[in-house]
């Protein structure tokens, strides 16, 4: 009796055990399905999240955060492969704060396991990092890391970078599901990165177009060339995120380039420098008419001899303003030391910008030439009217008065008439001098004193580092004889050179004037001056020139308060008048 009851109990328990196992297995599969569903949902959310950012840097940081969340990793990083295809140009991390990064030191460059993924862009999963043959170990202060999962990110057919995940939470290992999910995210990340790059490129093109429009508007509104060059340097520097922007232009009649302006880091050291064309970075771009780059401008051998410049700067690029057939100058841009090199795309955009700026400058020059021609034609008309109408009438009036004076018996009245005749004669001479000035050209084979003096001051800008203030008064081209003019030009050049060499000034006033009897040159600066008695050989040469011409050199100098130089000489009016009389009016 007892044995039959036990058999019945056993038969009841066996089906119950199988049902529990089936229910447990079903529950496990339900949990797995639920986990898979949740993971798919998380993956979809991550894909939507990384595709939302159009700013490239923010998109990269979002990708790192999404990857760490999806595979439950403590540390995550995204390494961007540099232009050389062998190293990392940028590194974005999660799980390590700024203080820890500062203690670790230099960010990874792509060696060890990171380099293995660069050389072989395939998913890599390791239970322990240190056991891989390519492992280099970790630098000091680096947090311990064991489990590892890495996948490449492809943008179209190009490997953009790699995702690196370490230390799965809970002491677990990364599995095939983690690898699959992360690989799927990498595909979405590639699309997001491509979109962000296309967006940034369109924004950059828009900024370049706006800069070109601004330059064209400035030129066409009559802005000074120096202001336009400054605008070119400033906009180029802003758009490319460069630390330094420089514009160098050719020095007339020489094989040199003068740094017309410099903006940013090291600008004060470079401004006003004159650089040889041969053997220099800017000279190479000027001669070849194509962009020339440097990975580290502070150590580049193509920087001219002298004190070290470009301290703290790194990658640089020089781009000609114009083409190889007509280069107006060179733009140099340099980034901070350790910065990213200028990409081919950036250089191409900069080259297009510089070429368009050169076209705008050429059009502005043509417009100024047309305006100058109109002014010269108007001068010719005025000169003809003065000669054909005013002078002839004054001459006829003078002849009439001279004839009438002979018929006047009253002595005082006759003297007054003769004085009037002399005044008319002087008036005719002044008008003829004016006609001569109207018909003179700045581009004649033998330019006048005004043009030569302006050219001498312009030539000194490169060594001074700034443009002096210039004023002129009187009939300089008419009254000042050729030999006197040569002496004045020599004294002016020597005075400006002395300011550049010794004065350490940032302002110079030049005044050149004549009253028809004397010509006077005054050069004043706000430099350091010098103590009385410390005369230099250049000053002795100026004094000798003054004595040769029958004039004097006057010098006022105060130590620490600047210098004022006055050079004067009598003018040879006979030669000036002879030139006027001998010139057909």
């Amino acid at each position: 009796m007892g044995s039959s009851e036990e058999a019945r109990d056993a038969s009841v328990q066996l089906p119950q055990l199988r049902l529990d196992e089936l229910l447990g297995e079903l529950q496990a599969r339900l949990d797995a399905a639920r986990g898979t569903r949740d993971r798919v949902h998380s993956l979809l959310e991550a894909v939507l999240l990384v595709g939302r950012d159009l700013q490239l840097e923010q998109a990269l940081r979002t990708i790192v955060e999404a990857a760490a969340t999806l595979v439950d990793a403590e540390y995550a990083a995204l390494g961007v492969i540099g232009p050389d295809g062998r190293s990392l140009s940028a590194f974005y991390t999660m799980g390590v704060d700024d203080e820890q990064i500062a203690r670790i030191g230099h960010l990874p460059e792509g060696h060890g396991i990171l380099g293995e993924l660069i050389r072989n862009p395939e998913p890599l999963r390791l239970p322990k990092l240190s056991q891989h043959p390519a492992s280099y170990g970790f630098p000091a202060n680096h947090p311990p890391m064991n489990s590892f999962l890495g996948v490449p990110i492809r943008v179209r057919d190009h490997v953009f970078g790699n995702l690196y995940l370490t230390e799965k939470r809970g002491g677990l290992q990364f599995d095939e599901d983690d690898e699959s999910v992360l690989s799927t995210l990498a595909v979405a990340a590639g699309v997001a990165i491509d979109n962000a790059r296309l967006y940034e490129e369109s924004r950059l093109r828009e900024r370049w177009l706006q800069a070109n429009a601004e330059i064209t508007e400035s030129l066409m509104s009559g802005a000074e060339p120096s202001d336009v060059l400054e605008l070119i340097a400033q906009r180029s520097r802003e758009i490319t995120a460069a630390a330094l922007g420089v514009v160098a232009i050719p020095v007339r009649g020489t094989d040199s380039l003068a740094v017309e302006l410099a903006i940013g880091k090291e600008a004060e050291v470079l401004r006003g420098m004159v650089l040889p064309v041969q053997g220099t970075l800017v000279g190479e771009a000027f001669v070849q008419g194509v962009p020339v780059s440097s990975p580290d401008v502070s150590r580049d051998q193509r920087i001219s001899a002298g004190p070290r410049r470009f301290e703290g700067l790194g990658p640089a690029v020089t781009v000609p303003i114009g083409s190889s057939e007509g280069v107006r100058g060179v733009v140099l841009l340099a980034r901070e030391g350790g910065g990213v090199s200028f990409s081919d795309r950036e250089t191409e955009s900069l080259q297009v910008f510089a070429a368009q700026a050169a076209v705008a400058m050429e059009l502005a020059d043509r417009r100024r030439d047309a305006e100058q021609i109109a002014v010269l034609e108007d001068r010719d008309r005025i000169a003809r009217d003065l000669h054909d109408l005013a002078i002839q009438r004054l001459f006829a009036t003078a002849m009439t008065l001279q004839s009438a004076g002979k018929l006047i018996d009253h002595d005082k009245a006759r003297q007054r008439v003769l004085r009037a005749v002399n005044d008319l004669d002087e008036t005719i001479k002044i008008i003829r001098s004016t006609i001569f000035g109207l018909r003179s050209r700045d581009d004649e084979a033998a330019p006048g004193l005004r043009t030569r003096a302006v050219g001498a001051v312009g030539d000194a800008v490169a060594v001074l580092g700034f443009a002096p203030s210039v004023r002129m008064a009187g009939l300089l081209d008419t009254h000042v004889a050729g030999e006197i003019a040569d002496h004045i030009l020599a004294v002016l050049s020597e005075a400006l050179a002395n300011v550049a060499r010794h004065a350490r000034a940032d302002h110079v006033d030049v005044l050149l004037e004549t009253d028809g009897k004397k010509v006077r040159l005054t050069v004043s600066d706000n430099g350091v001056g010098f103590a009385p008695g410390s005369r230099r050989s250049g000053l002795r040469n100026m004094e000798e020139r003054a004595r040769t011409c029958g004039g004097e050199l006057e010098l006022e100098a105060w130590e620490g308060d600047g210098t004022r130089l006055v050079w004067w000489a009598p003018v040879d009016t006979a030669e000036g008048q002879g030139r006027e009389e001998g010139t057909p009016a």
Side-chain angles (χ1 to χ4, degrees):
M1 187 74 179
S3 60
S4 61
E5 290 179 357
E6 289 177 3
R8 263 197 317 273
D9 291 342
S11 63
V12 172
Q13 289 175 0
L14 282 174
Q16 183 67 39
L17 288 174
R18 290 195 187 95
L19 181 60
D20 289 343
E21 290 176 0
L22 290 173
L23 288 174
E25 184 179 346
L26 178 61
Q27 182 64 43
R29 291 186 178 184
L30 287 173
D31 291 342
R34 190 178 294 110
T36 303
R37 182 202 63 186
D38 294 341
R39 200 161 205 186
V40 169
H41 285 170
S42 300
L43 179 59
L44 290 174
E45 289 176 0
V47 169
L48 292 174
L49 185 63
V50 300
R52 191 178 300 159
D53 291 311
L54 288 176
Q55 297 292 336
L56 181 58
E57 185 167 343
Q58 184 57 44
L60 296 177
R61 297 190 183 281
T62 302
I63 291 167
V64 174
E65 294 172 2
T69 301
L70 279 175
V71 299
D72 203 21
E74 186 174 352
Y75 303 106
L78 191 155
V80 180
I81 299 176
D84 59 3
R86 299 188 302 272
S87 60
L88 298 177
S89 61
F91 203 71
Y92 301 89
T93 63
M94 199 204 85
V96 183
D97 58 30
D98 293 339
E99 185 178 344
Q100 287 177 297
I101 292 174
R103 286 202 305 269
I104 294 170
H106 203 282
L107 289 173
E109 296 180 350
H111 304 298
I113 297 295
L114 305 187
E116 179 68 21
L117 213 58
I118 295 173
R119 292 185 293 272
N120 302 299
E122 298 293 338
L124 179 63
R125 185 157 41 94
L126 301 172
K128 196 170 183 64
L129 272 169
S130 58
Q131 294 177 354
H132 194 278
S135 178
Y136 275 16
F138 296 108
N141 301 314
H142 196 285
M145 295 180 181
N146 293 297
S147 56
F148 174 84
L149 174 60
V151 296
I153 299 176
R154 298 180 185 273
V155 177
R156 299 180 184 178
D157 295 330
H158 174 71
V159 179
F160 174 82
N162 295 302
L163 274 171
Y164 308 107
L165 287 301
T166 61
E167 290 300 285
K168 187 174 178 69
R169 298 183 188 278
L172 301 176
Q173 299 294 324
F174 295 108
D175 55 24
E176 291 182 1
D177 289 341
D178 294 326
E179 182 179 322
S180 177
V181 168
L182 199 60
S183 297
T184 304
L185 178 66
V187 173
V191 175
I193 290 169
D194 194 29
N195 290 338
R197 289 169 71 177
L198 290 173
Y199 176 74
E200 286 199 351
E201 287 172 12
S202 67
R203 290 291 303 275
L204 277 176
R205 279 195 296 270
E206 182 181 352
R207 293 184 68 186
W208 283 121
L209 289 172
Q210 288 176 348
N212 267 314
E214 189 176 358
I215 289 168
T216 302
E217 182 181 358
S218 298
L219 284 166
M220 295 308 169
S221 63
E224 291 295 324
S226 58
D227 295 335
V228 176
L229 292 177
E230 182 175 1
L231 189 59
I232 290 173
Q234 186 65 44
R235 293 296 174 265
S236 301
R237 176 172 170 260
E238 290 172 355
I239 295 174
T240 59
L244 171 68
V246 171
V247 174
I249 60 174
V251 179
R252 182 178 50 191
T254 69
D255 291 330
S256 302
L257 294 167
V259 177
E260 179 74 7
L261 58 95
I263 304 171
K265 191 171 184 177
E266 293 290 295
E268 292 297 327
V269 180
L270 298 169
R271 194 175 294 124
M273 287 188 59
V274 177
L275 305 171
V277 169
Q278 297 298 325
T280 61
L281 191 64
V282 293
E284 193 172 329
F286 179 79
V287 172
Q288 297 180 8
V290 295
V292 179
S293 60
S294 171
D296 188 350
V297 72
S298 65
R299 293 179 173 83
D300 200 303
Q301 296 299 317
R302 292 168 292 182
I303 301 302
S304 61
R308 289 200 63 178
R309 295 176 290 277
F310 298 101
E311 290 289 344
L313 296 172
V317 64
T318 54
V319 176
I321 303 174
S323 64
S324 57
E325 295 159 358
V327 179
R328 290 175 166 270
V330 177
V331 177
L332 181 147
L333 298 172
R335 286 177 172 149
E336 294 279 0
V340 179
S341 297
F342 289 87
S343 66
D344 293 340
R345 189 164 292 168
E346 286 179 311
T347 303
E348 182 182 348
S349 298
L350 181 59
Q351 187 177 14
V352 171
F353 168 71
Q356 290 175 340
V359 170
M361 293 168 74
E362 185 71 21
L363 290 174
D365 285 348
R366 293 291 177 266
R367 192 189 69 168
R368 280 192 290 268
D369 289 344
E371 292 173 351
Q372 183 67 16
I373 289 172
V375 170
L376 294 176
E377 289 176 348
D378 201 37
R379 286 183 178 182
D380 285 341
R381 180 187 59 77
I382 294 171
R384 283 196 306 271
D385 290 345
L386 287 173
H387 179 267
D388 296 340
L389 299 175
I391 287 182
Q392 301 305 328
R393 286 197 175 191
L394 289 172
F395 186 75
T397 303
M399 293 292 291
T400 301
L401 288 174
Q402 193 173 23
S403 299
K406 296 177 181 179
L407 304 176
I408 299 174
D409 295 330
H410 194 278
D411 186 60
K412 288 187 176 181
R414 186 170 59 255
Q415 292 298 325
R416 293 185 67 179
V417 169
L418 291 176
R419 282 199 300 272
V421 171
N422 290 333
D423 289 343
L424 286 173
D425 187 46
E426 288 298 321
T427 302
I428 290 172
K429 290 179 180 179
I430 292 173
I431 293 176
R432 281 180 171 171
S433 173
T434 303
I435 292 173
F436 179 80
L438 286 171
R439 286 182 169 173
S440 65
R441 301 289 186 269
D442 290 343
D443 55 353
E444 288 179 343
L449 177 57
R450 284 178 178 270
T451 301
R452 296 171 67 191
V454 170
V457 172
D459 292 340
V461 169
V463 293
L464 286 170
F466 58 89
S469 171
V470 182
R471 289 188 299 123
M472 299 187 189
L475 299 175
L476 293 166
D477 293 341
T478 302
H479 287 156
V480 182
E483 185 179 353
I484 300 293
D486 292 341
H487 284 298
I488 291 171
L489 265 295
V491 171
L492 175 58
S493 298
E494 180 67 27
L496 293 176
N498 282 342
V499 172
R501 285 194 296 262
H502 308 295
R504 298 201 295 275
D506 58 16
H507 185 79
V508 174
D509 288 314
V510 176
L511 174 61
L512 182 57
E513 57 186 342
T514 181
D515 57 2
K517 298 178 182 179
K518 293 180 180 180
V519 59
R520 181 179 290 102
L521 171 67
T522 305
V523 180
S524 307
D525 68 70
N526 65 344
V528 297
F530 56 89
S534 58
R535 312 274 283 188
R536 302 186 179 98
S537 59
L539 297 176
R540 288 195 295 271
N541 293 337
M542 295 182 202
E543 287 177 334
E544 182 60 32
R545 289 181 183 275
R547 283 195 297 270
T548 301
C549 299
E552 290 183 5
L553 173 69
E554 302 171 5
L555 189 67
E556 297 178 356
W558 305 270
E559 193 168 4
D561 291 327
T563 304
R564 182 173 180 268
L565 179 148
V566 179
W567 188 99
W568 67 268
V571 298
D572 187 355
T573 56
E575 182 179 340
Q577 291 173 2
R579 183 173 61 173
E580 293 170 14
E581 298 292 343
T583 302

